[in-house]
Amino acid sequence: QKEVEQDPGPLSVPEGAIVSLNCTYSNSAFQYFMWYRQYSRKGPELLMYTYSSGNKEDGRFTAQVDKSSKYISLFIRDSQPSDSATYLCARTGGSYIPTFGRGTSLIVHP
Amino acid sequence: KAGVTQTPRYLIKTRGQQVTLSCSPISGHRSVSWYQQTPGQGLQFLFEYFSETQRNKGNFPGRFSGRQFSNSRSEMNVSTLELGDSALYLCASRRALDTGELFFGEGSRLTVL
């Protein structure tokens, strides 16, 4: 079992929809949680970074962490075609080296 | 500020050959990590260098090696290439060792025939 599990999708939604992307993790050691976005033929870029349980909002993006159930979510409001990408969730341990999920491919169609 | 630069972007090799990939981190970043990305396994950590020393290592065979130079530039080498080494190799730098925020390059896509 991978440390971070993520449904690969693809997830296809119409423009303007609310998108929910989810991950589960298995290791409960000290950690931060992150969401990276990767466009085709590009390297991943950091979207959200959080430590505590609860919600963290940044514009149209909200990251949610539930440590009791080991569940990480990313919500995208008013999704746009430019949001079409692969979204990677990640967690770090004591070394702060991120362990990534396989990524979920999101397609937002006009 | 220039981003992380990787060269070459694409390369094709045959089984048994070896390959060297290069990475220049963001100016001021002394940590360089290498990841292998494949459709089946996703992003897997290879190793990290900081101040020319390997600090962390993933679960890859010894055919995968790396080094870092005094200017923080890094190279990774894969010897005796296998078909399964075909992947996107991503380099990432970070500003300090106490953050998980990585800045990735665009990767080097290796195809092994």
Side-chain angles (χ1 to χ4, degrees):
Chain A
Q1 182 191 14
K2 276 184 72 77
E3 283 191 45
V4 181
E5 295 283 354
Q6 189 174 8
D7 186 333
L11 178 63
S12 182
V13 301
E15 183 175 356
I18 296 175
V19 175
S20 173
L21 303 168
N22 306 296
C23 285
T24 57
Y25 63 94
S26 57
N27 190 325
S28 297
F30 167 81
Q31 54 201 325
Y32 286 82
F33 303 93
M34 291 149 285
W35 284 95
Y36 281 79
R37 177 176 62 194
Q38 185 175 20
Y39 290 114
S40 180
R41 304 186 192 284
K42 298 288 187 182
E45 58 177 342
L46 183 68
L47 261 184
M48 303 283 285
Y49 192 159
T50 184
Y51 169 72
S52 56
S53 283
N55 294 351
K56 181 177 181 179
E57 195 172 314
D58 184 1
R60 297 185 295 111
F61 298 88
T62 299
Q64 186 176 80
V65 175
D66 183 342
K67 289 188 177 183
S68 62
S69 58
K70 298 180 185 175
Y71 206 76
I72 315 164
S73 298
L74 179 71
F75 299 97
I76 307 174
R77 292 184 299 280
D78 187 26
S79 57
Q80 302 295 309
S82 58
D83 294 328
S84 298
T86 296
Y87 290 80
L88 301 146
C89 62
R91 58 158 288 277
T92 68
S95 68
Y96 295 90
I97 301 289
T99 299
F100 289 87
R102 288 195 179 94
T104 299
S105 175
L106 172 66
I107 302 166
V108 182
H109 51 86
Chain B
K1 200 173 191 180
V4 176
T5 305
Q6 290 188 247
T7 57
R9 290 291 313 279
Y10 302 92
L11 63 166
I12 299 173
K13 294 286 186 178
T14 56
R15 278 179 298 174
Q17 287 187 310
Q18 66 94 27
V19 66
T20 299
L21 309 177
S22 181
C23 172
S24 293
I26 290 174
S27 178
H29 288 193
R30 292 158 60 194
S31 161
V32 174
S33 299
W34 289 90
Y35 284 82
Q36 181 196 66
Q37 187 174 35
T38 59
Q41 297 298 318
L43 262 176
Q44 292 188 285
F45 173 71
L46 282 155
F47 30 66
E48 179 188 33
Y49 286 86
F50 181 85
S51 294
E52 302 178 64
T53 301
Q54 187 180 91
R55 287 188 58 89
N56 295 286
K57 189 176 188 305
N59 189 26
F60 277 82
R63 299 186 297 108
F64 293 81
S65 62
R67 59 178 176 168
Q68 187 179 34
F69 303 95
S70 58
N71 61 358
S72 294
R73 190 177 69 85
S74 177
E75 289 181 347
M76 70 162 282
N77 183 276
V78 188
S79 62
T80 319
L81 284 166
E82 301 175 0
L83 295 179
D85 297 333
S86 295
L88 181 66
Y89 290 89
L90 288 158
C91 168
S93 70
R94 54 179 175 166
R95 55 172 173 75
L97 293 177
D98 61 351
T99 175
E101 182 177 8
L102 300 179
F103 295 85
F104 283 90
E106 294 193 328
S108 294
R109 183 163 295 281
L110 171 64
T111 301
V112 182
L113 302 176

Short mmCIF file of all heavy atoms in Angstrom, two decimals, chain B residues 12-58:
data_model
loop_
_atom_site.label_atom_id
_atom_site.label_comp_id
_atom_site.label_asym_id
_atom_site.label_seq_id
_atom_site.Cartn_x
_atom_site.Cartn_y
_atom_site.Cartn_z
N ILE B 12 16.79 9.64 -25.79
CA ILE B 12 16.48 8.24 -26.09
C ILE B 12 17.77 7.44 -25.96
O ILE B 12 18.80 7.83 -26.51
CB ILE B 12 15.90 8.09 -27.51
CG1 ILE B 12 14.60 8.88 -27.64
CG2 ILE B 12 15.65 6.61 -27.82
CD1 ILE B 12 14.05 8.92 -29.05
N LYS B 13 17.70 6.37 -25.20
CA LYS B 13 18.85 5.51 -24.99
C LYS B 13 18.43 4.06 -25.24
O LYS B 13 17.23 3.75 -25.34
CB LYS B 13 19.37 5.65 -23.55
CG LYS B 13 19.94 7.01 -23.21
CD LYS B 13 21.29 7.22 -23.84
CE LYS B 13 21.94 8.50 -23.39
NZ LYS B 13 23.29 8.67 -23.98
N THR B 14 19.40 3.18 -25.33
CA THR B 14 19.11 1.76 -25.47
C THR B 14 19.52 1.04 -24.19
O THR B 14 20.32 1.54 -23.39
CB THR B 14 19.84 1.14 -26.68
OG1 THR B 14 21.24 1.39 -26.54
CG2 THR B 14 19.33 1.76 -27.97
N ARG B 15 18.94 -0.13 -24.01
CA ARG B 15 19.22 -0.93 -22.81
C ARG B 15 20.72 -1.14 -22.64
O ARG B 15 21.44 -1.36 -23.61
CB ARG B 15 18.54 -2.29 -22.92
CG ARG B 15 17.09 -2.27 -22.53
CD ARG B 15 16.47 -3.64 -22.69
NE ARG B 15 16.51 -4.11 -24.06
CZ ARG B 15 16.15 -5.32 -24.45
NH1 ARG B 15 15.76 -6.20 -23.55
NH2 ARG B 15 16.20 -5.66 -25.71
N GLY B 16 21.18 -1.05 -21.43
CA GLY B 16 22.58 -1.26 -21.13
C GLY B 16 23.42 0.00 -21.13
O GLY B 16 24.51 0.01 -20.55
N GLN B 17 22.91 1.05 -21.78
CA GLN B 17 23.66 2.31 -21.78
C GLN B 17 23.51 3.02 -20.45
O GLN B 17 22.77 2.59 -19.56
CB GLN B 17 23.15 3.22 -22.91
CG GLN B 17 23.56 2.79 -24.29
CD GLN B 17 23.17 3.81 -25.34
OE1 GLN B 17 22.01 4.28 -25.39
NE2 GLN B 17 24.12 4.18 -26.19
N GLN B 18 24.22 4.11 -20.30
CA GLN B 18 24.08 4.92 -19.11
C GLN B 18 23.71 6.35 -19.53
O GLN B 18 23.91 6.74 -20.68
CB GLN B 18 25.38 4.91 -18.28
CG GLN B 18 26.57 5.57 -18.93
CD GLN B 18 26.73 7.00 -18.53
OE1 GLN B 18 26.31 7.41 -17.45
NE2 GLN B 18 27.34 7.81 -19.39
N VAL B 19 23.15 7.09 -18.57
CA VAL B 19 22.68 8.43 -18.89
C VAL B 19 22.99 9.36 -17.72
O VAL B 19 22.98 8.94 -16.55
CB VAL B 19 21.17 8.42 -19.20
CG1 VAL B 19 20.35 8.05 -17.96
CG2 VAL B 19 20.71 9.77 -19.73
N THR B 20 23.29 10.61 -18.04
CA THR B 20 23.51 11.64 -17.03
C THR B 20 22.57 12.79 -17.29
O THR B 20 22.50 13.30 -18.41
CB THR B 20 24.96 12.14 -17.06
OG1 THR B 20 25.85 11.04 -16.77
CG2 THR B 20 25.17 13.22 -16.01
N LEU B 21 21.85 13.19 -16.25
CA LEU B 21 20.91 14.30 -16.33
C LEU B 21 21.42 15.42 -15.44
O LEU B 21 22.00 15.17 -14.39
CB LEU B 21 19.52 13.86 -15.88
CG LEU B 21 18.97 12.60 -16.55
CD1 LEU B 21 17.60 12.23 -15.94
CD2 LEU B 21 18.86 12.77 -18.04
N SER B 22 21.14 16.65 -15.86
CA SER B 22 21.66 17.80 -15.14
C SER B 22 20.54 18.70 -14.62
O SER B 22 19.47 18.79 -15.24
CB SER B 22 22.58 18.61 -16.06
OG SER B 22 23.12 19.72 -15.38
N CYS B 23 20.80 19.34 -13.51
CA CYS B 23 19.81 20.21 -12.88
C CYS B 23 20.49 21.42 -12.26
O CYS B 23 21.44 21.27 -11.49
CB CYS B 23 19.04 19.43 -11.82
SG CYS B 23 17.93 20.44 -10.79
N SER B 24 19.97 22.61 -12.58
CA SER B 24 20.42 23.84 -11.92
C SER B 24 19.29 24.37 -11.06
O SER B 24 18.22 24.68 -11.59
CB SER B 24 20.84 24.87 -12.96
OG SER B 24 21.99 24.46 -13.65
N PRO B 25 19.49 24.46 -9.76
CA PRO B 25 18.40 24.90 -8.88
C PRO B 25 18.19 26.41 -8.95
O PRO B 25 18.98 27.13 -9.58
CB PRO B 25 18.90 24.50 -7.50
CG PRO B 25 20.39 24.60 -7.60
CD PRO B 25 20.71 24.16 -9.00
N ILE B 26 17.15 26.86 -8.31
CA ILE B 26 16.91 28.29 -8.18
C ILE B 26 18.08 28.90 -7.39
O ILE B 26 18.57 28.30 -6.43
CB ILE B 26 15.58 28.54 -7.45
CG1 ILE B 26 14.41 28.13 -8.36
CG2 ILE B 26 15.43 29.99 -7.01
CD1 ILE B 26 13.05 28.19 -7.70
N SER B 27 18.48 30.08 -7.81
CA SER B 27 19.60 30.74 -7.15
C SER B 27 19.35 30.88 -5.65
O SER B 27 18.29 31.34 -5.22
CB SER B 27 19.80 32.12 -7.78
OG SER B 27 20.85 32.81 -7.13
N GLY B 28 20.33 30.44 -4.86
CA GLY B 28 20.18 30.52 -3.41
C GLY B 28 19.65 29.25 -2.77
O GLY B 28 19.73 29.08 -1.55
N HIS B 29 19.09 28.37 -3.57
CA HIS B 29 18.60 27.08 -3.03
C HIS B 29 19.75 26.09 -3.01
O HIS B 29 20.38 25.83 -4.03
CB HIS B 29 17.47 26.52 -3.91
CG HIS B 29 16.19 27.26 -3.79
ND1 HIS B 29 14.99 26.76 -4.28
CD2 HIS B 29 15.88 28.46 -3.24
CE1 HIS B 29 14.02 27.61 -4.03
NE2 HIS B 29 14.53 28.67 -3.41
N ARG B 30 20.01 25.50 -1.85
CA ARG B 30 21.10 24.57 -1.73
C ARG B 30 20.66 23.12 -1.72
O ARG B 30 21.49 22.21 -1.77
CB ARG B 30 21.91 24.89 -0.47
CG ARG B 30 22.66 26.22 -0.57
CD ARG B 30 23.01 26.80 0.78
NE ARG B 30 23.87 25.90 1.55
CZ ARG B 30 24.10 26.05 2.84
NH1 ARG B 30 23.53 27.03 3.52
NH2 ARG B 30 24.89 25.22 3.48
N SER B 31 19.36 22.90 -1.65
CA SER B 31 18.85 21.53 -1.65
C SER B 31 18.33 21.18 -3.03
O SER B 31 17.56 21.95 -3.63
CB SER B 31 17.70 21.40 -0.63
OG SER B 31 16.91 20.28 -0.91
N VAL B 32 18.74 20.03 -3.53
CA VAL B 32 18.25 19.53 -4.81
C VAL B 32 17.77 18.09 -4.62
O VAL B 32 18.51 17.25 -4.10
CB VAL B 32 19.35 19.57 -5.89
CG1 VAL B 32 18.83 18.90 -7.18
CG2 VAL B 32 19.76 21.00 -6.18
N SER B 33 16.54 17.84 -5.04
CA SER B 33 15.98 16.49 -4.97
C SER B 33 15.69 15.99 -6.38
O SER B 33 15.42 16.78 -7.28
CB SER B 33 14.67 16.48 -4.18
OG SER B 33 14.86 16.91 -2.86
N TRP B 34 15.71 14.70 -6.52
CA TRP B 34 15.38 14.07 -7.80
C TRP B 34 14.22 13.10 -7.59
O TRP B 34 14.16 12.36 -6.60
CB TRP B 34 16.58 13.30 -8.34
CG TRP B 34 17.69 14.16 -8.84
CD1 TRP B 34 18.74 14.64 -8.13
CD2 TRP B 34 17.85 14.65 -10.17
NE1 TRP B 34 19.56 15.40 -8.92
CE2 TRP B 34 19.04 15.42 -10.19
CE3 TRP B 34 17.13 14.51 -11.36
CZ2 TRP B 34 19.51 16.05 -11.34
CZ3 TRP B 34 17.59 15.14 -12.51
CH2 TRP B 34 18.78 15.89 -12.49
N TYR B 35 13.28 13.13 -8.53
CA TYR B 35 12.12 12.26 -8.52
C TYR B 35 11.99 11.58 -9.87
O TYR B 35 12.34 12.15 -10.91
CB TYR B 35 10.83 13.05 -8.26
CG TYR B 35 10.61 13.47 -6.82
CD1 TYR B 35 11.22 14.60 -6.32
CD2 TYR B 35 9.77 12.75 -5.98
CE1 TYR B 35 11.03 15.00 -5.00
CE2 TYR B 35 9.55 13.15 -4.67
CZ TYR B 35 10.19 14.27 -4.19
OH TYR B 35 9.99 14.66 -2.89
N GLN B 36 11.47 10.35 -9.84
CA GLN B 36 11.09 9.64 -11.06
C GLN B 36 9.58 9.62 -11.16
O GLN B 36 8.89 9.30 -10.17
CB GLN B 36 11.62 8.21 -11.03
CG GLN B 36 11.30 7.39 -12.28
CD GLN B 36 11.50 5.90 -12.06
OE1 GLN B 36 10.78 5.27 -11.28
NE2 GLN B 36 12.47 5.32 -12.73
N GLN B 37 9.04 9.99 -12.31
CA GLN B 37 7.59 9.99 -12.47
C GLN B 37 7.20 9.05 -13.60
O GLN B 37 7.66 9.19 -14.74
CB GLN B 37 7.05 11.39 -12.76
CG GLN B 37 5.53 11.45 -12.77
CD GLN B 37 4.99 12.87 -12.90
OE1 GLN B 37 5.57 13.71 -13.58
NE2 GLN B 37 3.88 13.16 -12.22
N THR B 38 6.36 8.07 -13.30
CA THR B 38 5.81 7.15 -14.29
C THR B 38 4.31 7.07 -14.10
O THR B 38 3.80 7.32 -13.01
CB THR B 38 6.41 5.74 -14.15
OG1 THR B 38 6.12 5.25 -12.82
CG2 THR B 38 7.91 5.74 -14.36
N PRO B 39 3.57 6.70 -15.16
CA PRO B 39 2.10 6.59 -15.03
C PRO B 39 1.69 5.58 -13.97
O PRO B 39 0.72 5.79 -13.25
CB PRO B 39 1.66 6.16 -16.43
CG PRO B 39 2.74 6.63 -17.34
CD PRO B 39 4.01 6.49 -16.55
N GLY B 40 2.44 4.51 -13.84
CA GLY B 40 2.05 3.45 -12.91
C GLY B 40 2.37 3.75 -11.46
O GLY B 40 1.58 3.45 -10.57
N GLN B 41 3.51 4.34 -11.21
CA GLN B 41 3.99 4.56 -9.83
C GLN B 41 3.87 6.00 -9.37
O GLN B 41 4.04 6.29 -8.19
CB GLN B 41 5.45 4.10 -9.70
CG GLN B 41 5.65 2.62 -9.94
CD GLN B 41 4.90 1.78 -8.93
OE1 GLN B 41 4.89 2.08 -7.74
NE2 GLN B 41 4.24 0.73 -9.40
N GLY B 42 3.62 6.91 -10.28
CA GLY B 42 3.55 8.31 -9.89
C GLY B 42 4.93 8.88 -9.63
O GLY B 42 5.92 8.43 -10.19
N LEU B 43 4.97 9.87 -8.73
CA LEU B 43 6.23 10.54 -8.38
C LEU B 43 6.92 9.78 -7.26
O LEU B 43 6.39 9.67 -6.16
CB LEU B 43 5.95 11.95 -7.89
CG LEU B 43 6.09 13.11 -8.85
CD1 LEU B 43 5.66 14.40 -8.16
CD2 LEU B 43 7.52 13.25 -9.32
N GLN B 44 8.12 9.29 -7.53
CA GLN B 44 8.86 8.56 -6.51
C GLN B 44 10.19 9.24 -6.25
O GLN B 44 10.91 9.58 -7.18
CB GLN B 44 9.09 7.11 -6.97
CG GLN B 44 7.80 6.30 -7.04
CD GLN B 44 8.08 4.85 -7.31
OE1 GLN B 44 8.41 4.46 -8.43
NE2 GLN B 44 7.97 4.02 -6.28
N PHE B 45 10.49 9.40 -4.97
CA PHE B 45 11.69 10.10 -4.53
C PHE B 45 12.92 9.24 -4.75
O PHE B 45 12.97 8.08 -4.36
CB PHE B 45 11.53 10.45 -3.04
CG PHE B 45 12.74 11.02 -2.39
CD1 PHE B 45 13.15 12.31 -2.71
CD2 PHE B 45 13.46 10.29 -1.47
CE1 PHE B 45 14.27 12.85 -2.09
CE2 PHE B 45 14.58 10.82 -0.85
CZ PHE B 45 14.99 12.11 -1.16
N LEU B 46 13.92 9.84 -5.39
CA LEU B 46 15.19 9.15 -5.64
C LEU B 46 16.21 9.49 -4.56
O LEU B 46 16.70 8.62 -3.85
CB LEU B 46 15.74 9.53 -7.01
CG LEU B 46 15.10 8.83 -8.20
CD1 LEU B 46 15.25 9.67 -9.47
CD2 LEU B 46 15.71 7.46 -8.38
N PHE B 47 16.56 10.76 -4.47
CA PHE B 47 17.52 11.22 -3.46
C PHE B 47 17.52 12.73 -3.38
O PHE B 47 17.00 13.40 -4.27
CB PHE B 47 18.95 10.71 -3.71
CG PHE B 47 19.32 10.51 -5.15
CD1 PHE B 47 19.41 11.56 -6.03
CD2 PHE B 47 19.57 9.23 -5.62
CE1 PHE B 47 19.75 11.37 -7.34
CE2 PHE B 47 19.91 9.01 -6.94
CZ PHE B 47 20.00 10.09 -7.81
N GLU B 48 18.13 13.22 -2.29
CA GLU B 48 18.27 14.65 -2.09
C GLU B 48 19.70 14.98 -1.73
O GLU B 48 20.32 14.24 -0.95
CB GLU B 48 17.34 15.15 -0.97
CG GLU B 48 17.49 16.67 -0.73
CD GLU B 48 16.73 17.16 0.48
OE1 GLU B 48 16.59 16.41 1.46
OE2 GLU B 48 16.27 18.33 0.44
N TYR B 49 20.19 16.08 -2.27
CA TYR B 49 21.52 16.57 -1.93
C TYR B 49 21.39 17.96 -1.33
O TYR B 49 20.56 18.77 -1.73
CB TYR B 49 22.40 16.62 -3.18
CG TYR B 49 22.84 15.25 -3.62
CD1 TYR B 49 22.04 14.48 -4.44
CD2 TYR B 49 24.04 14.71 -3.15
CE1 TYR B 49 22.43 13.21 -4.82
CE2 TYR B 49 24.44 13.44 -3.52
CZ TYR B 49 23.62 12.70 -4.36
OH TYR B 49 24.00 11.42 -4.72
N PHE B 50 22.25 18.19 -0.37
CA PHE B 50 22.33 19.51 0.27
C PHE B 50 23.79 19.78 0.57
O PHE B 50 24.45 18.96 1.21
CB PHE B 50 21.49 19.55 1.55
CG PHE B 50 21.49 20.88 2.24
CD1 PHE B 50 20.60 21.87 1.87
CD2 PHE B 50 22.38 21.14 3.27
CE1 PHE B 50 20.59 23.10 2.51
CE2 PHE B 50 22.39 22.37 3.91
CZ PHE B 50 21.48 23.35 3.52
N SER B 51 24.28 20.91 0.11
CA SER B 51 25.69 21.26 0.32
C SER B 51 26.61 20.10 -0.04
O SER B 51 27.50 19.72 0.73
CB SER B 51 25.92 21.68 1.78
OG SER B 51 25.25 22.88 2.05
N GLU B 52 26.36 19.54 -1.22
CA GLU B 52 27.22 18.50 -1.83
C GLU B 52 27.13 17.15 -1.12
O GLU B 52 27.90 16.23 -1.46
CB GLU B 52 28.68 18.97 -1.91
CG GLU B 52 28.87 20.26 -2.68
CD GLU B 52 30.32 20.73 -2.71
OE1 GLU B 52 31.15 20.01 -3.29
OE2 GLU B 52 30.60 21.80 -2.14
N THR B 53 26.24 16.99 -0.15
CA THR B 53 26.11 15.74 0.59
C THR B 53 24.73 15.14 0.36
O THR B 53 23.72 15.86 0.40
CB THR B 53 26.31 15.99 2.09
OG1 THR B 53 27.59 16.56 2.31
CG2 THR B 53 26.20 14.68 2.88
N GLN B 54 24.68 13.85 0.15
CA GLN B 54 23.38 13.18 0.02
C GLN B 54 22.76 13.07 1.41
O GLN B 54 23.31 12.42 2.30
CB GLN B 54 23.56 11.79 -0.59
CG GLN B 54 22.21 11.12 -0.91
CD GLN B 54 22.38 9.73 -1.51
OE1 GLN B 54 22.41 8.73 -0.81
NE2 GLN B 54 22.49 9.69 -2.83
N ARG B 55 21.58 13.64 1.55
CA ARG B 55 20.95 13.69 2.87
C ARG B 55 19.84 12.65 3.02
O ARG B 55 19.58 12.16 4.11
CB ARG B 55 20.36 15.07 3.13
CG ARG B 55 21.37 16.15 3.40
CD ARG B 55 20.69 17.41 3.84
NE ARG B 55 19.87 17.22 5.02
CZ ARG B 55 20.32 17.34 6.26
NH1 ARG B 55 21.57 17.61 6.48
NH2 ARG B 55 19.49 17.18 7.28
N ASN B 56 19.16 12.37 1.95
CA ASN B 56 18.06 11.42 1.98
C ASN B 56 18.08 10.59 0.71
O ASN B 56 18.52 11.07 -0.34
CB ASN B 56 16.70 12.14 2.08
CG ASN B 56 16.54 12.90 3.37
OD1 ASN B 56 16.33 12.32 4.43
ND2 ASN B 56 16.64 14.21 3.30
N LYS B 57 17.62 9.37 0.84
CA LYS B 57 17.65 8.47 -0.31
C LYS B 57 16.37 7.66 -0.34
O LYS B 57 15.90 7.18 0.70
CB LYS B 57 18.85 7.53 -0.20
CG LYS B 57 19.13 6.69 -1.43
CD LYS B 57 20.38 5.87 -1.24
CE LYS B 57 20.78 5.16 -2.52
NZ LYS B 57 19.72 4.31 -3.09
N GLY B 58 15.82 7.50 -1.54
CA GLY B 58 14.62 6.68 -1.71
C GLY B 58 15.00 5.23 -1.95
O GLY B 58 16.16 4.83 -1.82
#
